Amino acid sequence: MSYRPLLNLFIVWHPQAEQICQPLAQALYQAFNRDPDHPMARGIGIPTYFRSVNQPGKDLPSSIDLNAAEHTVILVLGEACLVNDDAWGDYLADYYRRCKTSDGKHLFLPVALSASAFNLHPDVAASNFVRLFDMATEQISSRLLHFVTHALARLLDGKQTSTALGNVLSPTSIKLFISHTKREPGALALAKALKAALENTQMARFFDSVDIASGHDFAEEIAANIEQAALLAIRSDRYSESPWCRMEVLWAKRYNRPIVVVDALKLHEYRSFPYMSNVPVIRFDTELDAEDAPVKLQAVIDFALLEVLRIIYQKRYLEHLQSQGYLPKDAIILSRPPEPRDLHQRAGKRLLVYPDPPLGKEEADELKSDMVELRTPTTLHDRPLQSLCIGLSISNVDAVELQTLGLSDLHLQDAMLEIARHCLAQGATLVYGGDLRPGGFTENLLDLVRYHNDALQKQFTPVRNFLAWPLHQSLDADWIADRRDALRIVKVDAPDDLKTAAMLPQSKAESDALTGYVWARCLSTMRENLVQQTQARIMLGGRTLGYKGKYPGLVEEALLTLQAGRPLFLLGGFGGAARAVIQALQDQQPEALTEAYQCQNPSYQSLIAEFDLHIQTQNLAIQPIDYPAICKTFAKIGINGLNNGLSGAENRRLFETVNQEEAIGLILAGLAKLKNCATRQ
């Protein structure tokens, strides 16, 4: 069954507005999907894609399949360049019309970064734009995040009403219930300030002193409003002393409503209310001066709104996985990490599934019950990939190619980290052949291993990192020692014939043809060793130009993997070398795997000649650089030669998808089949 996401978000901007719009798009990606630089943070996980460059030879970006997901949101960053491009205007107007006739399933959300944005297209002009052009530059990003978060939450919450004449209104605004005690002037003043701040937004709010109609039952009104709202609890010194405040928190817990605590303690509280735990907390200083207060109040509202979106999305996302058969039908779904009260809500043994990442072992042990099994999507199965060594192949892709695909480096890094997370959680050992530079993917990968080891106490095998000569000669001993808990270096020596002939350069800075030849031979030797010590390989991205080596690194790793009969999983939706290999397997003659393309780099022609020279003069048993030959080899192996447990149709889905959940599901299904086959043998 083909995977269908719950929600896809597309952010659209004109290529000539890259400097203005790209930082906004990246900030939204990190807020709504995940931040690859913080791999252990509880991201929301909404698939987010970009449309910001024209397709090669065309005047328009790639198309958007509205029906590829249950819901699709098209967010348009409108400014003068977009307005002045008629082709882009027509492109967007078409999606506007299609979203408008989707019965509320899809949303077209235009943003006015300039006053001229309203001239984008006559059809789109009827839509209510998010107006940001009259705001200070430093406010635009935060205000954009606020408006888009609210729009996504309203769409997913799905509460629409119709008039007596049959007109359908926009989805109901998200409501914040401001829970506070009136016994403290500071808490009451903060509650009133939040109420006033909310009145300048599209959000709704409940404030008991003005929102309960005269003559109606106080308790019933409060309970009914909490059932439809998110609770914003102002935790002041005497908050927990108020029975009404305690009851409001309990009602919110009982109804599984989002809760955010505003920590406004001045001195202390004699007893904290235990049911206010397991929720996000934001600090607020009630002594703020008048100039700082509006910014801080808005920060509280935005923090709460993101939590509302997280809770709504995670609940619907897990239910969506359940409906598609990816989670057991009888599992109980939670939209937040579990707590003791969740263990006693239903009789009988049951499975409780909550969002990733999993709880730490100490907390899971405290919640351990013979009647309840606690799992997340990544820990649903009990380490089925134990003892399997899986190679990860990733490197950067040309920025223009990524942009054409609607992606960025954030997507590439995030995809590989999520694949790595799932493999780790299922017991695999990860093998990587990358350069150990501080920061970037390697550092984040090590952080993942540390999290699983420290929090889950699973004692996962450290990442094995293969390094070719001469890279391992200049390793920083202190840097390696500090990462000993998560990293093992495998040093691969230079080929014997190079050492015997004294051909190794004395400096990494040398850049003549001989040095390039030596580097290429050493990298090939490292990759041969790496392939022999892995049972399967996952590959995405990869440079096709600007590399050191005989062939593009991922191309060579793919070739060696397939020639050794090892299973290979190829994600082509991210472009780069992985896509070129996929094309070659299907005998499509990719341009990137031609000598003419590679010789755009002048030094590469010298490298080809250097290989030919040494093969002829030293009678070496190595192959020359020969692109027609490797393309012929790939074509002969074909898709059936991937040997990865997936059918041809499943591999073709893996070749094209940019959805992480679908890619991970396919990879894990293939790996599980391979492991089961190996176990039976």
Side-chain angles (χ1 to χ4, degrees):
M1 180 176 62
S2 180
Y3 176 73
R4 193 162 185 247
L6 171 64
L7 170 66
N8 281 340
L9 170 63
F10 290 87
I11 305 175
V12 184
W13 71 93
H14 196 273
Q16 293 177 10
E18 186 80 2
Q19 188 173 359
I20 299 171
C21 297
Q22 186 183 43
L24 297 175
Q26 290 183 331
L28 292 175
Y29 180 94
Q30 292 168 325
F32 296 139
N33 195 327
R34 274 174 296 268
D35 184 352
D37 288 333
H38 298 88
M40 276 66 65
R42 291 186 182 274
I44 298 177
I46 297 173
T48 303
Y49 308 106
F50 302 156
R51 291 292 183 271
S52 62
V53 298
N54 294 330
Q55 298 177 75
K58 298 184 179 180
D59 296 328
L60 294 173
S62 300
S63 61
I64 297 172
D65 184 356
L66 290 180
N67 296 316
E70 290 293 315
H71 301 284
T72 299
V73 175
I74 299 177
L75 173 66
V76 180
L77 301 179
E79 43 62 59
C81 296
L82 192 62
V83 170
N84 292 331
D85 194 318
D86 290 339
W88 276 65
D90 292 339
Y91 167 87
L92 291 169
D94 177 57
Y95 287 114
Y96 170 74
R97 291 187 289 267
R98 290 160 62 186
C99 288
K100 190 176 180 181
T101 57
S102 67
D103 293 327
K105 284 184 60 178
H106 310 311
L107 176 64
F108 187 94
L109 186 60
V111 177
L113 295 177
S114 68
S116 64
F118 302 107
N119 298 323
L120 176 60
H121 191 281
D123 290 353
V124 180
S127 180
N128 186 23
F129 281 64
V130 175
R131 298 169 180 247
L132 299 179
F133 58 87
D134 54 355
M135 293 184 177
T137 303
E138 62 272 13
Q139 293 180 315
I140 289 176
S141 183
S142 63
R143 298 307 294 148
L144 176 63
L145 178 61
H146 170 88
F147 282 111
V148 180
T149 304
H150 192 212
L152 295 177
R154 293 173 75 174
L155 175 70
L156 292 174
D157 208 25
K159 296 174 183 175
Q160 283 188 308
T161 56
S162 300
T163 67
L165 297 177
N167 295 316
V168 179
L169 300 176
S170 57
T172 306
S173 295
I174 298 300
K175 181 191 292 185
L176 289 186
F177 185 109
I178 304 174
S179 176
H180 62 287
T181 176
K182 298 177 178 60
R183 299 179 181 182
E184 295 172 277
L188 181 58
L190 174 54
K192 290 181 177 179
L194 284 167
K195 170 181 171 292
L198 283 166
E199 288 170 354
N200 292 321
T201 73
Q202 294 179 342
M203 298 177 67
R205 83 285 181 276
F206 180 86
F207 197 82
D208 55 11
S209 63
V210 296
D211 289 322
I212 298 179
S214 300
H216 285 257
D217 185 279
F218 197 80
E220 289 180 0
E221 288 285 314
I222 288 180
N225 276 278
I226 289 176
E227 189 178 0
Q228 301 176 346
L231 191 78
L232 195 61
I234 300 176
R235 182 189 180 194
S236 54
D237 292 26
R238 301 188 64 184
Y239 181 88
S240 295
E241 297 175 16
S242 167
W244 281 106
C245 292
R246 296 197 301 269
M247 185 57 70
E248 287 163 1
V249 172
L250 287 171
W251 272 324
K253 289 273 185 169
R254 192 173 301 151
Y255 299 145
N256 293 313
R257 302 306 301 164
I259 301 173
V260 168
V261 172
V262 182
D263 182 1
L265 289 173
K266 285 188 175 181
L267 296 175
H268 53 70
E269 55 183 357
Y270 288 105
R271 176 182 179 265
S272 61
F273 189 48
Y275 301 98
M276 293 177 71
S277 63
N278 199 36
V279 297
V281 180
I282 184 169
R283 174 68 186 150
F284 192 92
D285 184 359
T286 56
E287 303 298 328
L288 286 172
D289 59 40
E291 185 176 342
D292 291 335
V295 175
K296 297 298 183 182
L297 289 167
Q298 190 62 49
V300 169
I301 293 170
D302 292 347
F303 184 73
L305 191 53
L306 272 172
E307 179 62 13
V308 171
L309 177 59
R310 184 192 318 278
I311 293 295
I312 293 173
Y313 178 79
Q314 290 294 347
K315 181 175 186 296
R316 287 205 54 188
Y317 167 68
L318 293 178
E319 290 173 346
H320 184 68
L321 289 182
Q322 195 174 42
S323 71
Q324 295 195 88
Y326 292 95
L327 296 178
K329 295 291 185 185
D330 59 349
I332 298 170
I333 300 300
L334 276 184
S335 53
R336 50 167 174 71
E339 56 189 57
R341 68 190 311 276
D342 297 314
L343 276 58
H344 311 295
Q345 292 184 344
R346 293 175 176 84
K349 186 171 178 62
R350 58 201 183 277
L351 170 66
L352 195 155
V353 179
Y354 62 96
D356 281 300
L359 297 175
K361 185 176 185 299
E362 72 295 332
E363 191 173 357
D365 285 349
E366 188 68 22
L367 291 173
K368 192 173 183 179
S369 166
D370 292 335
M371 300 303 293
V372 178
E373 186 178 6
L374 301 176
R375 297 285 185 175
T376 70
T378 60
T379 62
L380 194 61
H381 306 289
D382 193 17
R383 296 167 65 78
L385 304 183
Q386 185 75 39
S387 76
L388 200 64
C389 290
I390 299 175
L392 301 179
S393 295
I394 178 175
S395 71
N396 294 334
V397 176
D398 176 72
V400 173
E401 182 180 1
L402 276 177
Q403 290 169 346
T404 303
L405 296 169
L407 306 172
S408 68
D409 284 340
L410 289 173
H411 293 82
L412 193 66
Q413 295 283 341
D414 188 34
M416 185 53 91
L417 285 170
E418 285 305 298
I419 292 169
R421 185 199 304 275
H422 280 74
C423 291
L424 284 170
Q426 300 207 24
T429 297
L430 299 181
V431 182
Y432 184 57
D435 192 2
L436 287 180
R437 288 170 289 186
F441 173 70
T442 303
E443 199 75 73
N444 290 338
L445 182 60
L446 301 185
D447 285 342
L448 275 180
V449 176
R450 289 194 188 96
Y451 175 80
H452 285 282
N453 284 347
D454 295 343
L456 305 183
Q457 297 183 22
K458 294 288 188 181
Q459 295 306 308
F460 291 170
T461 305
V463 173
R464 298 180 193 170
N465 190 280
F466 281 66
L467 282 182
W469 188 97
L471 292 174
H472 57 68
Q473 289 193 320
S474 57
L475 289 175
D476 185 309
D478 290 334
W479 191 91
I480 298 299
D482 288 341
R483 290 151 182 79
R484 183 74 177 172
D485 58 333
L487 178 68
R488 293 291 186 273
I489 301 296
V490 180
K491 299 178 181 179
V492 181
D493 206 357
D496 289 338
D497 65 279
L498 296 182
K499 293 189 290 184
T500 301
M503 295 171 61
L504 302 183
Q506 299 302 308
S507 170
K508 289 196 300 180
E510 295 181 36
S511 58
D512 57 13
L514 177 60
T515 302
Y517 168 77
V518 171
W519 269 92
R521 291 287 311 284
C522 291
L523 287 169
S524 294
T525 300
M526 180 272 289
R527 290 175 180 134
E528 290 166 0
N529 279 265
L530 186 152
V531 166
Q532 291 303 317
Q533 296 193 38
T534 53
Q535 281 81 55
R537 178 159 296 278
I538 302 167
M539 183 174 291
L540 74 158
R543 293 186 183 92
T544 55
L545 287 173
Y547 55 87
K548 290 182 177 180
K550 182 177 183 180
Y551 296 116
L554 268 65
V555 172
E556 187 170 20
E557 288 179 14
L559 183 65
L560 293 169
T561 298
L562 294 174
Q563 288 177 328
R566 301 288 198 272
L568 179 63
F569 297 87
L570 289 164
L571 285 77
F574 296 83
R579 171 165 283 194
V581 170
I582 290 168
Q583 292 170 339
L585 288 169
Q586 298 175 92
D587 199 17
Q588 294 176 357
Q589 304 299 316
E591 181 187 10
L593 299 188
T594 62
E595 187 172 316
Y597 177 90
Q598 293 298 325
C599 287
Q600 293 178 69
N601 179 359
S603 64
Y604 197 77
Q605 187 68 57
S606 300
L607 180 64
I608 294 173
E610 197 73 21
F611 259 87
D612 291 341
L613 173 65
H614 290 285
I615 290 171
Q616 294 169 7
T617 58
Q618 296 178 259
N619 196 28
L620 297 176
I622 61 173
Q623 296 298 316
I625 295 175
D626 188 339
Y627 282 93
I630 65 168
C631 285
K632 185 176 180 180
T633 299
F634 279 129
K636 185 176 181 180
I637 292 170
I639 294 176
N640 293 334
L642 291 171
N643 193 30
N644 59 15
L646 299 180
S647 67
E650 288 171 328
N651 268 308
R652 288 184 178 89
R653 280 167 50 200
L654 188 62
F655 293 166
E656 297 300 326
T657 187
V658 292
N659 182 276
Q660 294 175 15
E661 286 84 3
E662 181 174 29
I664 289 168
L666 289 166
I667 291 168
L668 294 182
L671 288 172
K673 290 178 185 177
L674 296 172
K675 186 68 185 293
N676 290 337
C677 290
T679 301
R680 287 196 295 270
Q681 293 172 359

